[in-house]
Amino acid sequence: MNPLERELHYPFGDELPEPGSTMEVAPGVRWVRMVLPFALNHINLWLVRDEIDGRQGWSVVDCCISREEARTQWEQVFETQLQGLPILRVIVTHMHPDHIGLADWMCTRWNAPLWISATDYNVARVLVSMGDNAAGGEAAADFFVAHGLSDPDSIAKIRARTSYYANMVPSVPRNYVRMMDGDEFPIGGRMWRCISGYGHAPEHISLYCEELNVLLGGDMMLPRISSNVSVHAGETESNPLRLFLQSLRRFNELPATVLGLPAHGKPFTGVHTRVRQLEDHHRDHLAALMEACSQRALTAAEALPVLFKRELDLHQMTFAMGETVAHLHYLWFAGKLRRNLGEDGVYRFGLPGQA
Ligand SMILES: [Zn+2]
């Protein structure tokens, strides 16, 4: 446990649900945990006891990436954990593969509707329909080169990495039910409220139930790691860190005692503390970048080691590049750094007035 985690409270300690099983974390709310084949090695998914149109069953929140192991684990859960009842609704917090990957399979398997924000639904649909050109590929390589990536081997690998999204998200349902900020709807007779969040995904929806004092925080409110906040090749001029920090503050409106159910890590209390920790984390990153860029104008690739000191594989490096650009953009949009496009076609960030 890192020092910051000691400021949070984990009411279930180190207890985790067994693979293929579930653990009750609040009345009618059950925790499913699945392995992911990445550095981020697991995801939390949730079952909420539900009743829709007089039918008893469950709503599921998030689905895992599409792969055989996950489908097998879900089948075990269906067989042993649902009390013989069906899945009635599939709620997806956002369009990242570990959340939406199996949504189409799940919706088809149970003839259940998908609930998601319009933005994330449509982005997922576009990426799936683009197939081999969805993520990675030419656009990503060009974006990283414009931000100073120069290692030919890495550039070639990114250029060749074409079916990244489609591999984990083979399809999405043909229709959906839209969730929007402030919407309230019942799950199993208790009201839940949608809280939109930006900067991590296009339009992430967290769900809060006042009666249970539970927050299904998805990737917006994680206890141990900080959510990835990146500028992407598809939207190169964005300022996602400003959006993320604005969105974080919304969680301070919830009771300090709320039980946070995150997509990664363990259920925790101390959401307000976590908001402050994440604000501090990004403020420290911004200060370190200001310091580094005040010596001389830097590319994102040059600035990256200021924020990420450990060894990164290619996959982690692309995330770290996106995140470094996000921090540089925050400072640039705030007028604290100036962006210059060099004759080499590479962006550098330096102090305004700096040569
Ligand atoms: Zn995510």
Side-chain angles (χ1 to χ4, degrees), residues 43-122:
I43 181 166
N44 301 322
L45 315 158
W46 312 93
L47 288 166
V48 187
R49 189 66 170 80
D50 205 352
E51 182 198 330
I52 299 179
D53 300 331
R55 287 173 74 211
Q56 298 295 321
W58 298 85
S59 276
V60 59
V61 179
D62 287 335
C63 299
C64 200
I65 58 169
S66 177
R67 66 177 197 141
E68 198 50 45
E69 293 87 336
R71 279 189 294 271
T72 304
Q73 257 192 62
W74 270 125
E75 289 295 349
Q76 280 176 343
V77 167
F78 298 157
E79 200 162 306
T80 61
Q81 304 295 305
L82 302 187
Q83 299 155 0
L85 297 171
I87 300 288
L88 298 175
R89 159 166 53 195
V90 177
I91 296 171
V92 168
T93 55
H94 64 298
M95 46 67 68
H96 290 160
D98 44 339
H99 299 260
I100 201 173
L102 278 177
D104 193 32
W105 170 79
M106 184 97 69
C107 290
T108 304
R109 166 85 170 69
W110 292 101
N111 192 24
L114 169 69
W115 286 47
I116 186 172
S117 73
T119 320
D120 279 56
Y121 175 75
N122 285 300

Coordinates of all heavy atoms in Angstrom, one line a residue, residues 43-122:
I43 N -10.0 -5.9 -13.8 CA -11.1 -4.9 -13.9 C -12.2 -5.4 -13.0 O -12.4 -6.6 -12.8 CB -11.6 -4.7 -15.3 CG1 -12.7 -3.6 -15.3 CG2 -12.1 -6.0 -16.0 CD1 -13.1 -3.1 -16.7
N44 N -12.8 -4.4 -12.3 CA -14.0 -4.7 -11.5 C -15.3 -4.4 -12.3 O -15.4 -3.4 -13.0 CB -14.0 -3.8 -10.2 CG -12.8 -4.0 -9.4 OD1 -12.3 -5.1 -9.3 ND2 -12.3 -2.9 -8.9
L45 N -16.2 -5.4 -12.2 CA -17.5 -5.3 -12.9 C -18.5 -5.5 -11.8 O -18.2 -6.1 -10.8 CB -17.6 -6.4 -14.0 CG -16.3 -6.5 -14.8 CD1 -16.2 -7.8 -15.5 CD2 -16.2 -5.4 -15.8
W46 N -19.7 -5.0 -12.0 CA -20.7 -5.0 -10.9 C -22.1 -5.6 -11.4 O -22.5 -5.4 -12.5 CB -20.9 -3.6 -10.4 CG -19.6 -3.0 -10.1 CD1 -18.9 -2.2 -11.0 CD2 -18.7 -3.1 -9.0 NE1 -17.7 -1.8 -10.5 CE2 -17.6 -2.4 -9.2 CE3 -18.9 -3.8 -7.8 CZ2 -16.5 -2.3 -8.3 CZ3 -17.9 -3.7 -6.8 CH2 -16.7 -3.0 -7.1
L47 N -22.7 -6.3 -10.5 CA -24.1 -6.8 -10.7 C -25.0 -6.0 -9.7 O -24.6 -6.0 -8.5 CB -24.2 -8.3 -10.5 CG -23.5 -9.2 -11.5 CD1 -23.4 -10.6 -11.0 CD2 -24.3 -9.2 -12.8
V48 N -26.1 -5.5 -10.2 CA -27.0 -4.8 -9.3 C -28.4 -5.4 -9.5 O -28.9 -5.5 -10.6 CB -27.1 -3.3 -9.6 CG1 -27.9 -2.6 -8.5 CG2 -25.7 -2.7 -9.6
R49 N -28.9 -5.9 -8.3 CA -30.2 -6.6 -8.4 C -31.2 -5.6 -8.9 O -31.3 -4.5 -8.5 CB -30.5 -7.0 -6.9 CG -31.7 -7.9 -6.8 CD -31.6 -9.3 -7.5 NE -32.7 -10.1 -7.1 CZ -33.9 -10.0 -7.6 NH1 -34.1 -9.2 -8.7 NH2 -34.9 -10.8 -7.2
D50 N -32.0 -6.1 -9.9 CA -32.9 -5.2 -10.6 C -34.3 -5.8 -10.8 O -34.5 -7.0 -10.6 CB -32.3 -4.9 -12.0 CG -32.7 -3.5 -12.5 OD1 -33.6 -2.9 -12.0 OD2 -32.1 -3.1 -13.5
E51 N -35.2 -4.9 -11.2 CA -36.5 -5.4 -11.7 C -36.9 -4.4 -12.8 O -36.9 -3.2 -12.5 CB -37.5 -5.3 -10.5 CG -38.9 -5.8 -10.9 CD -40.0 -5.4 -10.0 OE1 -39.7 -5.2 -8.8 OE2 -41.1 -5.2 -10.5
I52 N -37.2 -4.9 -14.0 CA -37.6 -4.0 -15.1 C -38.9 -4.6 -15.7 O -39.0 -5.8 -16.0 CB -36.5 -3.9 -16.1 CG1 -35.2 -3.3 -15.5 CG2 -37.0 -3.1 -17.3 CD1 -34.1 -3.2 -16.5
D53 N -39.9 -3.8 -15.8 CA -41.2 -4.2 -16.4 C -41.7 -5.4 -15.7 O -42.3 -6.3 -16.3 CB -41.1 -4.5 -17.9 CG -40.6 -3.2 -18.6 OD1 -40.9 -2.1 -18.2 OD2 -39.9 -3.4 -19.7
G54 N -41.6 -5.5 -14.4 CA -42.1 -6.6 -13.6 C -41.3 -7.9 -13.6 O -41.6 -8.9 -13.0
R55 N -40.2 -7.8 -14.4 CA -39.3 -9.0 -14.4 C -38.1 -8.8 -13.4 O -37.5 -7.8 -13.4 CB -38.7 -9.1 -15.8 CG -39.6 -9.6 -16.9 CD -38.9 -9.6 -18.2 NE -37.9 -10.6 -18.4 CZ -36.8 -10.5 -19.1 NH1 -36.5 -9.4 -19.7 NH2 -35.9 -11.5 -19.2
Q56 N -37.9 -9.9 -12.7 CA -36.8 -9.8 -11.7 C -35.5 -10.2 -12.4 O -35.5 -11.1 -13.3 CB -37.0 -10.9 -10.6 CG -38.2 -10.6 -9.7 CD -38.1 -9.3 -8.9 OE1 -37.0 -8.9 -8.4 NE2 -39.2 -8.5 -8.9
G57 N -34.4 -9.6 -12.0 CA -33.1 -10.0 -12.7 C -32.0 -9.1 -12.2 O -32.0 -8.6 -11.0
W58 N -31.0 -8.8 -13.0 CA -29.8 -8.0 -12.7 C -29.5 -7.0 -13.7 O -29.6 -7.3 -14.9 CB -28.6 -9.0 -12.5 CG -28.8 -10.0 -11.4 CD1 -29.4 -11.2 -11.5 CD2 -28.4 -9.9 -10.0 NE1 -29.4 -11.9 -10.3 CE2 -28.8 -11.1 -9.4 CE3 -27.7 -8.9 -9.3 CZ2 -28.5 -11.3 -8.0 CZ3 -27.4 -9.2 -8.0 CH2 -27.8 -10.4 -7.3
S59 N -28.9 -5.9 -13.3 CA -28.2 -5.0 -14.2 C -26.7 -5.3 -14.0 O -26.3 -5.5 -12.9 CB -28.5 -3.6 -13.9 OG -29.7 -3.2 -14.6
V60 N -26.0 -5.3 -15.2 CA -24.6 -5.5 -15.1 C -23.9 -4.2 -15.4 O -24.5 -3.4 -16.3 CB -24.1 -6.7 -16.0 CG1 -24.4 -6.4 -17.4 CG2 -22.6 -6.9 -15.9
V61 N -22.9 -3.8 -14.7 CA -22.2 -2.6 -15.0 C -20.7 -2.9 -15.4 O -19.9 -3.4 -14.7 CB -22.1 -1.6 -13.7 CG1 -21.4 -0.4 -14.1 CG2 -23.5 -1.3 -13.3
D62 N -20.5 -2.7 -16.7 CA -19.2 -2.9 -17.4 C -19.0 -4.4 -17.7 O -19.6 -5.3 -17.0 CB -18.0 -2.3 -16.7 CG -18.0 -0.7 -16.9 OD1 -18.6 -0.3 -17.9 OD2 -17.5 0.0 -16.0
C63 N -18.2 -4.7 -18.7 CA -18.3 -6.1 -19.3 C -16.9 -6.8 -19.5 O -16.9 -8.0 -19.7 CB -18.9 -6.0 -20.7 SG -20.6 -5.3 -20.6
C64 N -15.8 -6.1 -19.4 CA -14.5 -6.7 -19.7 C -14.2 -6.8 -21.2 O -15.2 -6.6 -22.0 CB -14.3 -8.1 -19.1 SG -12.6 -8.6 -19.0
I65 N -13.0 -6.9 -21.6 CA -12.6 -7.0 -23.1 C -13.2 -8.3 -23.6 O -13.4 -9.3 -22.9 CB -11.1 -7.0 -23.3 CG1 -10.4 -8.1 -22.5 CG2 -10.5 -5.6 -22.9 CD1 -8.9 -8.2 -23.0
S66 N -13.3 -8.4 -24.9 CA -13.8 -9.6 -25.6 C -12.6 -10.6 -25.6 O -11.6 -10.4 -26.3 CB -14.3 -9.3 -27.0 OG -14.7 -10.5 -27.6
R67 N -12.8 -11.7 -24.8 CA -11.8 -12.8 -24.9 C -12.5 -14.0 -24.2 O -13.3 -13.9 -23.4 CB -10.4 -12.5 -24.4 CG -10.4 -12.2 -22.9 CD -8.9 -12.0 -22.6 NE -8.6 -12.1 -21.2 CZ -7.5 -12.7 -20.7 NH1 -6.6 -13.2 -21.4 NH2 -7.3 -12.8 -19.3
E68 N -12.0 -15.2 -24.6 CA -12.6 -16.4 -24.2 C -12.6 -16.6 -22.7 O -13.6 -16.9 -22.1 CB -11.8 -17.6 -24.8 CG -12.5 -18.9 -24.8 CD -13.9 -18.8 -25.4 OE1 -14.1 -18.2 -26.4 OE2 -14.8 -19.4 -24.7
E69 N -11.5 -16.2 -22.0 CA -11.4 -16.3 -20.6 C -12.5 -15.5 -19.9 O -13.1 -16.0 -18.9 CB -10.1 -15.8 -20.0 CG -8.9 -16.7 -20.4 CD -8.3 -16.3 -21.8 OE1 -9.0 -15.7 -22.6 OE2 -7.1 -16.6 -22.0
A70 N -12.8 -14.4 -20.4 CA -13.8 -13.5 -19.8 C -15.2 -14.1 -20.0 O -16.0 -14.1 -19.1 CB -13.7 -12.1 -20.3
R71 N -15.4 -14.6 -21.2 CA -16.8 -15.2 -21.5 C -17.0 -16.4 -20.6 O -18.1 -16.6 -20.0 CB -16.9 -15.6 -23.0 CG -17.2 -14.4 -23.9 CD -17.6 -14.9 -25.3 NE -16.4 -15.4 -25.9 CZ -15.5 -14.7 -26.7 NH1 -15.7 -13.4 -26.9 NH2 -14.5 -15.3 -27.2
T72 N -16.0 -17.2 -20.4 CA -16.1 -18.4 -19.6 C -16.4 -18.0 -18.1 O -17.3 -18.6 -17.5 CB -14.7 -19.2 -19.6 OG1 -14.5 -19.5 -21.0 CG2 -14.8 -20.4 -18.8
Q73 N -15.7 -16.9 -17.6 CA -15.9 -16.5 -16.3 C -17.4 -15.9 -16.1 O -18.0 -16.2 -15.1 CB -14.9 -15.4 -15.9 CG -13.8 -15.9 -15.0 CD -13.0 -14.7 -14.4 OE1 -13.6 -13.9 -13.7 NE2 -11.8 -14.7 -14.8
W74 N -17.8 -15.2 -17.1 CA -19.2 -14.7 -17.1 C -20.2 -15.8 -17.0 O -21.1 -15.8 -16.3 CB -19.5 -13.8 -18.3 CG -19.1 -12.3 -18.1 CD1 -18.4 -11.5 -18.8 CD2 -19.6 -11.4 -17.0 NE1 -18.3 -10.2 -18.3 CE2 -19.1 -10.2 -17.2 CE3 -20.5 -11.6 -15.9 CZ2 -19.4 -9.1 -16.4 CZ3 -20.8 -10.5 -15.1 CH2 -20.2 -9.3 -15.3
E75 N -19.9 -16.9 -17.9 CA -20.9 -18.0 -17.9 C -20.9 -18.6 -16.5 O -22.0 -19.0 -16.0 CB -20.5 -19.0 -18.9 CG -20.7 -18.6 -20.4 CD -22.2 -18.3 -20.7 OE1 -23.1 -18.7 -20.0 OE2 -22.4 -17.8 -21.8
Q76 N -19.8 -18.7 -15.8 CA -19.8 -19.2 -14.4 C -20.6 -18.4 -13.5 O -21.4 -18.8 -12.7 CB -18.3 -19.3 -13.9 CG -17.6 -20.5 -14.4 CD -16.1 -20.4 -13.9 OE1 -15.6 -19.3 -13.4 NE2 -15.4 -21.5 -13.9
V77 N -20.4 -17.0 -13.7 CA -21.2 -16.1 -12.8 C -22.7 -16.3 -13.1 O -23.5 -16.3 -12.2 CB -20.7 -14.6 -13.1 CG1 -21.7 -13.6 -12.5 CG2 -19.3 -14.4 -12.5
F78 N -23.0 -16.3 -14.4 CA -24.5 -16.5 -14.8 C -25.1 -17.7 -14.1 O -26.2 -17.7 -13.6 CB -24.6 -16.6 -16.3 CG -24.2 -15.4 -17.1 CD1 -23.8 -15.5 -18.4 CD2 -24.1 -14.1 -16.5 CE1 -23.4 -14.4 -19.1 CE2 -23.7 -13.0 -17.2 CZ -23.3 -13.2 -18.5
E79 N -24.3 -18.8 -14.1 CA -24.8 -20.1 -13.7 C -24.9 -20.1 -12.2 O -25.9 -20.7 -11.6 CB -23.8 -21.2 -14.1 CG -24.4 -22.6 -14.1 CD -23.6 -23.5 -15.0 OE1 -23.4 -23.2 -16.2 OE2 -23.2 -24.5 -14.5
T80 N -24.0 -19.5 -11.5 CA -24.0 -19.7 -10.0 C -24.3 -18.5 -9.2 O -24.6 -18.6 -8.0 CB -22.5 -20.1 -9.6 OG1 -21.6 -19.1 -9.9 CG2 -22.1 -21.4 -10.3
Q81 N -24.3 -17.3 -9.8 CA -24.4 -16.1 -8.9 C -25.7 -15.3 -9.1 O -26.0 -14.3 -8.4 CB -23.2 -15.1 -9.2 CG -21.9 -15.8 -9.0 CD -21.7 -16.2 -7.5 OE1 -21.8 -15.3 -6.6 NE2 -21.4 -17.4 -7.3
L82 N -26.5 -15.6 -10.1 CA -27.7 -14.8 -10.4 C -29.0 -15.3 -9.8 O -30.1 -14.8 -10.1 CB -27.9 -14.7 -12.0 CG -26.7 -14.1 -12.8 CD1 -27.1 -14.0 -14.2 CD2 -26.2 -12.8 -12.2
Q83 N -28.9 -16.3 -8.9 CA -30.1 -16.9 -8.3 C -31.1 -17.3 -9.4 O -32.3 -17.2 -9.2 CB -30.7 -15.9 -7.3 CG -29.8 -15.5 -6.2 CD -30.1 -14.1 -5.6 OE1 -31.0 -13.4 -6.0 NE2 -29.3 -13.7 -4.6
G84 N -30.6 -17.8 -10.5 CA -31.5 -18.3 -11.6 C -32.2 -17.2 -12.3 O -33.0 -17.5 -13.2
L85 N -31.8 -15.9 -12.1 CA -32.4 -14.8 -12.8 C -31.6 -14.3 -14.0 O -30.4 -14.6 -14.0 CB -32.6 -13.7 -11.8 CG -33.6 -14.0 -10.6 CD1 -33.5 -12.9 -9.6 CD2 -35.0 -14.2 -11.1
P86 N -32.3 -13.6 -14.9 CA -31.5 -13.1 -16.1 C -30.8 -11.8 -15.9 O -31.1 -11.1 -14.9 CB -32.7 -12.9 -17.1 CG -33.8 -12.6 -16.3 CD -33.7 -13.3 -15.0
I87 N -29.9 -11.5 -16.8 CA -29.4 -10.1 -16.9 C -30.5 -9.3 -17.7 O -30.9 -9.7 -18.8 CB -28.1 -10.1 -17.7 CG1 -27.0 -10.9 -17.0 CG2 -27.6 -8.6 -18.0 CD1 -26.4 -10.3 -15.8
L88 N -30.9 -8.2 -17.1 CA -32.0 -7.4 -17.8 C -31.5 -6.2 -18.5 O -32.2 -5.6 -19.3 CB -33.0 -6.9 -16.7 CG -33.7 -8.0 -15.9 CD1 -34.5 -7.3 -14.8 CD2 -34.6 -8.8 -16.8
R89 N -30.2 -5.7 -18.1 CA -29.7 -4.5 -18.7 C -28.2 -4.5 -18.6 O -27.7 -5.0 -17.6 CB -30.3 -3.3 -17.9 CG -29.6 -2.0 -18.0 CD -30.4 -0.9 -17.5 NE -30.9 -1.1 -16.1 CZ -31.8 -0.3 -15.6 NH1 -32.4 0.7 -16.2 NH2 -32.2 -0.6 -14.3
V90 N -27.6 -3.9 -19.6 CA -26.1 -3.9 -19.6 C -25.7 -2.4 -19.6 O -26.0 -1.7 -20.6 CB -25.5 -4.6 -20.9 CG1 -24.0 -4.4 -20.9 CG2 -25.9 -6.0 -20.9
I91 N -25.2 -1.9 -18.5 CA -24.7 -0.5 -18.3 C -23.2 -0.5 -18.6 O -22.5 -1.3 -18.0 CB -25.1 0.0 -16.9 CG1 -26.6 0.0 -16.7 CG2 -24.5 1.4 -16.7 CD1 -27.0 0.3 -15.3
V92 N -22.8 0.5 -19.4 CA -21.4 0.6 -19.7 C -21.0 2.0 -19.4 O -21.5 3.0 -19.9 CB -21.1 0.3 -21.2 CG1 -19.6 0.7 -21.6 CG2 -21.2 -1.2 -21.4
T93 N -20.0 2.2 -18.5 CA -19.6 3.5 -18.0 C -18.9 4.3 -19.1 O -19.1 5.5 -19.2 CB -18.6 3.4 -16.8 OG1 -17.5 2.6 -17.2 CG2 -19.3 2.8 -15.6
H94 N -18.1 3.6 -20.0 CA -17.5 4.4 -21.1 C -16.9 3.4 -22.1 O -17.0 2.2 -21.9 CB -16.4 5.3 -20.6 CG -15.2 4.6 -19.9 ND1 -15.3 3.9 -18.8 CD2 -13.9 4.6 -20.2 CE1 -14.1 3.5 -18.4 NE2 -13.3 3.9 -19.3
M95 N -16.4 3.9 -23.2 CA -16.2 3.1 -24.4 C -14.8 2.4 -24.4 O -14.5 1.8 -25.4 CB -16.3 3.9 -25.7 CG -15.7 5.3 -25.8 SD -13.8 5.4 -25.8 CE -13.5 4.7 -27.4
H96 N -14.0 2.5 -23.4 CA -12.7 1.8 -23.4 C -13.0 0.3 -23.4 O -13.9 -0.3 -22.9 CB -11.9 2.2 -22.2 CG -11.4 3.6 -22.3 ND1 -11.0 4.3 -21.2 CD2 -11.3 4.4 -23.4 CE1 -10.6 5.6 -21.7 NE2 -10.8 5.6 -22.9
P97 N -12.0 -0.5 -24.1 CA -12.3 -1.9 -24.4 C -12.5 -2.7 -23.2 O -13.4 -3.7 -23.2 CB -10.9 -2.3 -25.1 CG -10.4 -1.1 -25.7 CD -10.8 0.0 -24.8
D98 N -11.9 -2.5 -22.1 CA -12.1 -3.3 -20.9 C -13.5 -3.1 -20.3 O -14.0 -3.9 -19.5 CB -11.1 -3.1 -19.8 CG -10.7 -1.7 -19.5 OD1 -10.9 -0.8 -20.4 OD2 -10.2 -1.4 -18.5
H99 N -14.2 -2.1 -20.7 CA -15.6 -1.8 -20.2 C -16.7 -2.2 -21.2 O -17.7 -2.8 -20.8 CB -15.7 -0.3 -19.9 CG -14.7 0.1 -18.8 ND1 -15.1 0.3 -17.5 CD2 -13.4 0.3 -18.9 CE1 -14.0 0.6 -16.8 NE2 -13.0 0.6 -17.6
I100 N -16.4 -2.0 -22.5 CA -17.5 -2.2 -23.5 C -17.2 -3.5 -24.3 O -18.1 -4.0 -25.1 CB -17.6 -1.0 -24.4 CG1 -19.0 -1.0 -25.1 CG2 -16.5 -0.9 -25.5 CD1 -19.3 0.2 -25.9
G101 N -16.0 -4.1 -24.2 CA -15.6 -5.2 -25.1 C -16.7 -6.3 -25.3 O -17.0 -6.7 -26.4
L102 N -17.2 -6.8 -24.2 CA -18.2 -7.9 -24.3 C -19.6 -7.4 -24.2 O -20.5 -8.2 -24.1 CB -17.9 -8.9 -23.1 CG -16.8 -9.9 -23.3 CD1 -16.6 -10.8 -22.1 CD2 -17.1 -10.8 -24.6
A103 N -19.9 -6.1 -24.4 CA -21.2 -5.6 -24.2 C -22.2 -6.2 -25.3 O -23.3 -6.6 -25.0 CB -21.3 -4.1 -24.3
D104 N -21.7 -6.3 -26.5 CA -22.6 -6.8 -27.6 C -22.9 -8.3 -27.3 O -24.0 -8.7 -27.5 CB -21.9 -6.6 -29.0 CG -22.9 -6.9 -30.1 OD1 -24.1 -6.6 -29.9 OD2 -22.5 -7.3 -31.2
W105 N -21.9 -9.0 -26.9 CA -22.1 -10.5 -26.6 C -23.1 -10.6 -25.5 O -24.0 -11.4 -25.5 CB -20.7 -11.1 -26.2 CG -20.8 -12.4 -25.6 CD1 -21.0 -13.6 -26.3 CD2 -20.8 -12.8 -24.2 NE1 -21.0 -14.7 -25.4 CE2 -20.9 -14.2 -24.1 CE3 -20.6 -12.0 -23.0 CZ2 -20.9 -14.8 -22.9 CZ3 -20.6 -12.7 -21.8 CH2 -20.7 -14.1 -21.8
M106 N -22.9 -9.8 -24.4 CA -23.8 -9.8 -23.2 C -25.2 -9.4 -23.6 O -26.2 -10.1 -23.2 CB -23.2 -8.9 -22.2 CG -24.0 -8.9 -20.9 SD -23.1 -9.9 -19.6 CE -21.7 -9.0 -19.3
C107 N -25.4 -8.4 -24.4 CA -26.7 -7.9 -24.8 C -27.4 -8.9 -25.6 O -28.6 -9.2 -25.4 CB -26.6 -6.6 -25.5 SG -26.2 -5.2 -24.5
T108 N -26.7 -9.6 -26.5 CA -27.2 -10.6 -27.4 C -27.6 -11.9 -26.6 O -28.7 -12.4 -26.7 CB -26.2 -11.0 -28.5 OG1 -25.9 -9.8 -29.2 CG2 -26.8 -12.0 -29.5
R109 N -26.7 -12.2 -25.7 CA -26.8 -13.4 -24.9 C -28.1 -13.4 -24.0 O -28.8 -14.4 -23.8 CB -25.6 -13.5 -24.0 CG -25.6 -14.5 -22.8 CD -25.2 -15.9 -23.2 NE -25.0 -16.8 -22.1 CZ -26.0 -17.2 -21.3 NH1 -27.3 -16.8 -21.4 NH2 -25.7 -18.1 -20.3
W110 N -28.5 -12.1 -23.6 CA -29.6 -12.0 -22.7 C -30.8 -11.2 -23.3 O -31.7 -10.9 -22.6 CB -29.2 -11.3 -21.4 CG -28.3 -12.2 -20.5 CD1 -26.9 -12.1 -20.4 CD2 -28.7 -13.3 -19.7 NE1 -26.4 -13.1 -19.6 CE2 -27.5 -13.8 -19.1 CE3 -29.9 -13.8 -19.4 CZ2 -27.5 -14.9 -18.3 CZ3 -29.9 -14.9 -18.5 CH2 -28.7 -15.4 -18.0
N111 N -30.6 -10.8 -24.5 CA -31.6 -9.9 -25.2 C -31.9 -8.7 -24.3 O -33.0 -8.3 -24.0 CB -32.9 -10.7 -25.4 CG -33.8 -9.9 -26.4 OD1 -33.4 -9.1 -27.1 ND2 -35.1 -10.2 -26.2
A112 N -30.8 -8.1 -23.8 CA -30.8 -7.0 -22.9 C -30.3 -5.7 -23.6 O -29.5 -5.8 -24.4 CB -30.0 -7.3 -21.7
P113 N -30.9 -4.6 -23.2 CA -30.4 -3.3 -23.8 C -29.1 -2.8 -23.2 O -28.8 -3.1 -22.1 CB -31.6 -2.3 -23.5 CG -32.1 -2.8 -22.2 CD -31.9 -4.3 -22.2
L114 N -28.4 -2.1 -24.1 CA -27.2 -1.4 -23.6 C -27.5 0.0 -23.2 O -28.2 0.8 -23.9 CB -26.2 -1.3 -24.8 CG -24.9 -0.4 -24.6 CD1 -24.0 -1.0 -23.5 CD2 -24.2 -0.2 -25.9
W115 N -27.1 0.4 -22.0 CA -27.2 1.8 -21.5 C -25.8 2.4 -21.5 O -24.9 1.8 -20.8 CB -27.8 1.8 -20.1 CG -29.3 1.5 -20.1 CD1 -29.9 0.5 -20.7 CD2 -30.3 2.2 -19.4 NE1 -31.3 0.6 -20.5 CE2 -31.5 1.6 -19.6 CE3 -30.3 3.4 -18.5 CZ2 -32.7 2.1 -19.1 CZ3 -31.5 3.8 -18.0 CH2 -32.7 3.2 -18.3
I116 N -25.7 3.5 -22.1 CA -24.3 4.2 -22.2 C -24.6 5.6 -22.6 O -25.7 6.0 -23.1 CB -23.5 3.4 -23.3 CG1 -22.0 3.9 -23.3 CG2 -24.1 3.5 -24.7 CD1 -21.1 3.1 -24.2
S117 N -23.6 6.5 -22.5 CA -23.7 7.9 -23.0 C -23.7 7.9 -24.5 O -23.1 7.0 -25.1 CB -22.5 8.8 -22.5 OG -21.3 8.4 -23.1
A118 N -24.3 8.9 -25.1 CA -24.4 8.9 -26.6 C -23.0 9.1 -27.2 O -22.7 8.4 -28.2 CB -25.3 10.1 -27.0
T119 N -22.2 9.9 -26.5 CA -20.8 10.1 -27.1 C -20.0 8.8 -27.1 O -19.4 8.5 -28.1 CB -20.1 11.2 -26.3 OG1 -21.0 12.2 -25.9 CG2 -18.9 11.8 -27.1
D120 N -20.0 8.1 -26.0 CA -19.2 6.9 -26.0 C -19.7 5.8 -26.9 O -19.0 5.1 -27.5 CB -19.0 6.5 -24.5 CG -17.9 7.2 -23.8 OD1 -18.0 8.5 -23.8 OD2 -17.0 6.6 -23.3
Y121 N -21.1 5.8 -27.0 CA -21.7 4.8 -27.9 C -21.2 5.0 -29.3 O -20.7 4.1 -30.0 CB -23.2 4.8 -27.8 CG -23.8 3.9 -28.8 CD1 -23.8 2.5 -28.6 CD2 -24.4 4.4 -30.0 CE1 -24.4 1.6 -29.6 CE2 -24.9 3.5 -30.9 CZ -24.9 2.2 -30.7 OH -25.4 1.3 -31.7
N122 N -21.3 6.3 -29.7 CA -21.0 6.6 -31.1 C -19.5 6.5 -31.4 O -19.1 6.1 -32.5 CB -21.6 8.0 -31.5 CG -23.1 7.9 -31.6 OD1 -23.6 7.2 -32.5 ND2 -23.8 8.6 -30.8

